[in-house]
Amino acid sequence: MAERDADAPGDAPRGASSGAPTGSDARIADLIAAGPTLSVEFFPPKTDEGAEQLDRTVRELEPLSLSFVSVTYGAGGSTRDRTRDLVVRLNKEQGYPAMAHLTCVGSTRDELGGLLDDYDEHGVHDVLALAGDPPADGSSAGGDFTYALELVELVRERGPQFSVGVAAHPELHPRSTDRSSDRDHLAEKLRAADFGVTQFFFDADDYTSMLDDLARRDCTTPVLPGVMPLSNPAGIARMAEMSGASFPTGLAARVEAADGAERDRIVVESAAGLCRALLDAGAPGIHLYCLNRSPIVLAVAREIGLR
Ligand code: FAD
């Protein structure tokens, strides 16, 4: 179990419901069950300046008493050590659990098993089990894995101390051949996992119709919607193209045409509106893509009254 400062912010009750589990050793699956949760995604910084920015963001987000954070894993394991070090540090220093993203395509069972054992030793027990992407040039990735479900099974072999999340794509995975088989695979993966976290999307109907598709397959595993405030329309348009998500060109044009406080107002109101619609539709919490910055997250959280 990770050492913690008894005065860490997460030791205070958090979450909308009393009796919710607290502290960095709480399993995210249990936090979601007691939700609604509020969480953010970080990426491991590459530079000293980026590291300072992230430390500042972590401090600035403390008043939110976040339920948990997650840390991305660079394509093909390119950030393996930086992801690992950041997850272990946040889990130890903050009052919330930090979830490690982990991809399996191109890796061996021994490599990933060793990393999971290392996380276990350091008190990190929350993993987002992902396939990752095969090489763009169509060559073989090698390794022992093809699909994320196989990584879920590897984590499960470690024991019940781990809580496992998986990715969900409300607008279908970009490599899927058809809606029905994509949803079948998603339902099977979610049944093996504890919860899902979605790719970003901008229309609440995409989320609710995915849940309807899953319910028709008797899959009721909770799925947290991932919400991306449109603070950087050009960058997010590129990400949407890669991930197969629709892009709100009208909203992007309004953001681009504004500046300063007005631009922030449009970004916050649109993201908060989506969050409200999702919570009204029964979402078990909100996972915000924050790009390692705090101001928009703080404003959205205030708008939706989740903290
Ligand atoms: P899978 O669940 O394996 O699905 C991939 C495709 O295979 C889908 O089309 C699915 O329908 C199909 N499929 C699944 N099982 C079968 C089967 N048995 N037979 C045939 N087809 C099947 N990437 C990173 O590199 N690092 C990250 O940190 C990262 N974080 C992410 C976080 C979130 C919330 C999300 C939504 C995505 C993230 N990704 C990340 C991207 C992810 O790695 C890619 O989308 C990847 O292409 C697929 O991963 P997956 O886990 O959804 O794969």
Side-chain angles (χ1 to χ4, degrees):
M1 189 183 299
E3 289 168 40
R4 278 186 296 123
D5 174 355
D7 296 327
D11 285 331
R14 79 162 86 74
S17 38
S18 60
T22 61
S24 61
D25 52 345
R27 293 168 81 251
I28 291 174
D30 297 331
L31 295 172
I32 292 172
T37 54
L38 178 66
S39 51
V40 300
E41 179 188 277
F42 295 138
F43 60 86
K46 286 192 188 119
T47 62
D48 290 348
E49 198 185 18
E52 279 165 28
Q53 168 65 46
L54 178 59
D55 284 348
R56 200 161 44 244
T57 294
V58 168
R59 281 197 304 277
E60 288 166 356
L61 292 178
E62 276 174 8
L64 293 184
S65 291
L66 291 168
S67 307
F68 69 92
V69 300
S70 79
V71 179
T72 61
Y73 190 74
S78 54
T79 67
R80 180 188 156 113
D81 293 343
R82 278 187 284 132
T83 297
R84 181 259 178 221
D85 292 350
L86 180 58
V87 167
V88 168
R89 181 165 71 82
L90 289 173
N91 203 62
K92 182 171 171 180
E93 293 178 358
Q94 299 298 315
Y96 45 66
M99 172 166 70
H101 293 211
L102 186 56
T103 66
C104 60
V105 165
S107 295
T108 64
R109 291 178 62 84
D110 282 352
E111 282 165 355
L112 297 190
L115 186 52
L116 289 169
D117 290 341
D118 179 55
Y119 277 135
D120 197 1
E121 277 166 31
H122 287 86
V124 173
H125 291 123
D126 294 284
V127 173
L128 190 67
L130 301 148
D133 292 305
D137 63 7
S139 61
S140 162
D144 295 334
F145 300 86
T146 310
Y147 299 114
L149 177 58
E150 297 153 53
L151 179 56
V152 175
E153 288 161 356
L154 185 75
V155 181
R156 288 291 188 222
E157 285 170 18
R158 260 57 211 168
Q161 69 275 28
F162 278 98
S163 132
V164 193
V166 292
H169 293 80
E171 298 176 79
L172 305 181
H173 187 272
R175 288 199 299 279
S176 71
T177 48
D178 64 280
R179 184 181 188 96
S180 177
S181 67
D182 193 62
R183 293 300 198 232
D184 287 347
H185 296 313
L186 177 60
E188 188 188 5
K189 182 173 73 167
L190 279 166
R191 271 191 224 102
D194 292 306
F195 60 93
V197 183
T198 74
Q199 180 57 272
F200 65 79
F201 55 90
F202 295 93
D203 183 342
D205 288 347
D206 289 322
Y207 174 76
T208 51
S209 51
M210 177 188 69
L211 293 190
D212 290 344
D213 288 347
L214 291 169
R216 276 192 287 276
R217 288 161 174 79
D218 291 327
C219 175
T220 53
T221 308
V223 182
L224 284 178
V227 173
M228 174 77 87
L230 202 61
S231 39
N232 170 9
I236 295 166
R238 279 194 298 279
M239 288 188 237
E241 200 178 335
M242 285 189 290
S243 67
S246 310
F247 184 71
T249 46
L251 173 60
R254 283 176 56 220
V255 173
E256 294 285 22
D259 48 30
E262 175 60 5
R263 183 179 171 117
D264 287 352
R265 189 190 64 76
I266 297 169
V267 171
V268 170
E269 275 188 8
S270 56
L274 178 57
C275 293
R276 270 189 229 104
L278 293 165
L279 292 167
D280 288 349
I286 299 290
H287 191 59
L288 285 167
Y289 294 110
C290 79
L291 305 176
N292 290 5
R293 309 261 157 181
S294 68
I296 299 290
V297 170
L298 290 165
V300 170
R302 198 166 44 239
E303 281 286 311
I304 60 178
L306 207 49
R307 286 294 184 280

